[in-house]
Amino acid sequence: MNLKEEILKLKQELDVTVVGHFYQRDEVFELADITGDSLELAKKAKLSDSKYIVFCGVGFMGESVKVMDPDKIVLMPKVACCAMARMIDEGYFEENLKIINEAGISNDDILPITYINSSAAVKARVGEMGGMVCTSSNAYKIIQKGLESGKKIFFVPDRCLGQNFAKSLNLKSSVVGDGTSLNDADIICYNGFCSVHQLFTVEDIEFYREKYENILIAVHPECDPAVCDAADFVGSTSQLIEYIKNLPEEQKIAVGTEYNMVNRLREKNTYILSSTKPECPTMNETTLQDVYNTLKSIKDGNIIEECVINVSPDVSKWARVALERMFKV
Ligand code: 13P
Ligand code: SF4
């Protein structure tokens, strides 16, 4: 039996659901029982009644499942941490609050919203302050809901997502530490970003438009605001797939998001909106061998300790509040 067949056999024998984000390597993605964007994965994994969740993605995704259902045993074949999520911890969160306070804006005037690409500890702090989580597919709605409080939004950690949704809601945004006025802004953004999505530029868009008449450009909202402004469509990974699948066969499109996902859409006249291969190093870390080792360790009753996702009860409590507020909206 080859590795893939061994994995399929173990999946049948065990009380396990394998979850895979669109950015996973093809061979891993194909084996997943549940696939989707961050919001869909969080929702679907929550509904799974398997004892074990084997999550092929990045750390914050596995953590979110554990937070929502502490009784599940969540394992990640590779505990790979999203580079953007690593840009913020509770310490940086507090430091930013201090800077905002020094500008004369008190904590009572702020509602924090965290992009799901953040640690459970950051989500917990946001939950404690009355805030909530959002993903790239529901940020518009969540920010709208947040604004009903009459407060300024403190959006962490992705400045691009914060700026892009501020624009689409006709709101003013600023970024802590970049010299823009925090007082004038409706949305104050933390200065984090995704290094993969920073690869796409307006020059790339111009290049494709010059080369192919009538080509469409679709990008993820983690791209720079200038790139999103110049694009024809901006959406989460699921929204991008849906948009591309519904295009006529002959329509050319250049897509600004991670390589594995775009490559799977190749038959639809699809181009990658960059001359640099936009791979997410952490998403790419999980291999077929890692998935096999994790499943085999469950079967042998000898689970690999470092693959187990644990979240302390006090962090879990407030992170769950922030996630549940999102699910309610
Ligand atoms: P989605 O929620 O759109 O799947 O995005 C997750 C992500 O990490 C994009 O870089
Ligand atoms: Fe994180 Fe960017 Fe990778 Fe998405 S693509 S998981 S935001 S580093």
Side-chain angles (χ1 to χ4, degrees), residues 21 23 37-39 60-61 115 117 136 197 220 222 236-237:
H21 187 265
Y23 292 172
D37 66 15
S38 306
L39 180 64
F60 72 83
M61 297 178 169
Y115 188 30
N117 296 36
S136 55
H197 287 87
H220 194 277
E222 287 173 14
S236 75
T237 50

Side-chain angles (χ1 to χ4, degrees), residues 124-179:
R125 187 67 186 106
V126 166
E128 241 181 331
M129 284 184 70
M132 53 196 155
V133 175
C134 77
T135 73
S136 55
S137 59
N138 65 16
Y140 189 92
K141 253 197 205 166
I142 298 284
I143 294 172
Q144 258 186 334
K145 180 74 190 166
L147 289 164
E148 285 174 15
S149 65
K151 299 180 181 189
K152 284 183 191 292
I153 304 292
F154 174 38
F155 192 88
V156 304
D158 188 7
R159 64 162 189 250
C160 295
L161 220 101
Q163 289 171 313
N164 285 325
F165 284 99
K167 266 198 179 167
S168 57
L169 284 156
N170 271 324
L171 299 169
K172 284 191 194 144
S173 63
S174 67
V175 179
V176 177
D178 81 343

Side-chain angles (χ1 to χ4, degrees), residues 259-270:
Y259 176 81
N260 290 329
M261 184 185 121
V262 183
N263 198 39
R264 268 180 233 125
L265 295 161
R266 282 287 200 191
E267 81 277 10
K268 289 292 275 185
N269 249 325
T270 308

Side-chain angles (χ1 to χ4, degrees), residues 212-217 232 243-244 246-254 267-271:
Y212 303 110
E213 209 185 329
N214 298 329
I215 192 167
L216 291 174
I217 308 291
D232 299 291
Y243 177 73
I244 295 162
N246 288 322
L247 292 175
E249 211 56 56
E250 64 285 1
Q251 176 64 57
K252 288 186 170 41
I253 180 154
E267 81 277 10
K268 289 292 275 185
N269 249 325
T270 308
Y271 299 82

Side-chain angles (χ1 to χ4, degrees), residues 23 58 60 82-84 117 194-197 222 258 280 282-283:
Y23 292 172
V58 281
F60 72 83
C82 158
M84 181 204 289
N117 296 36
C194 165
S195 43
V196 182
H197 287 87
E222 287 173 14
E258 190 275 342
C280 172
T282 43
M283 282 281 189

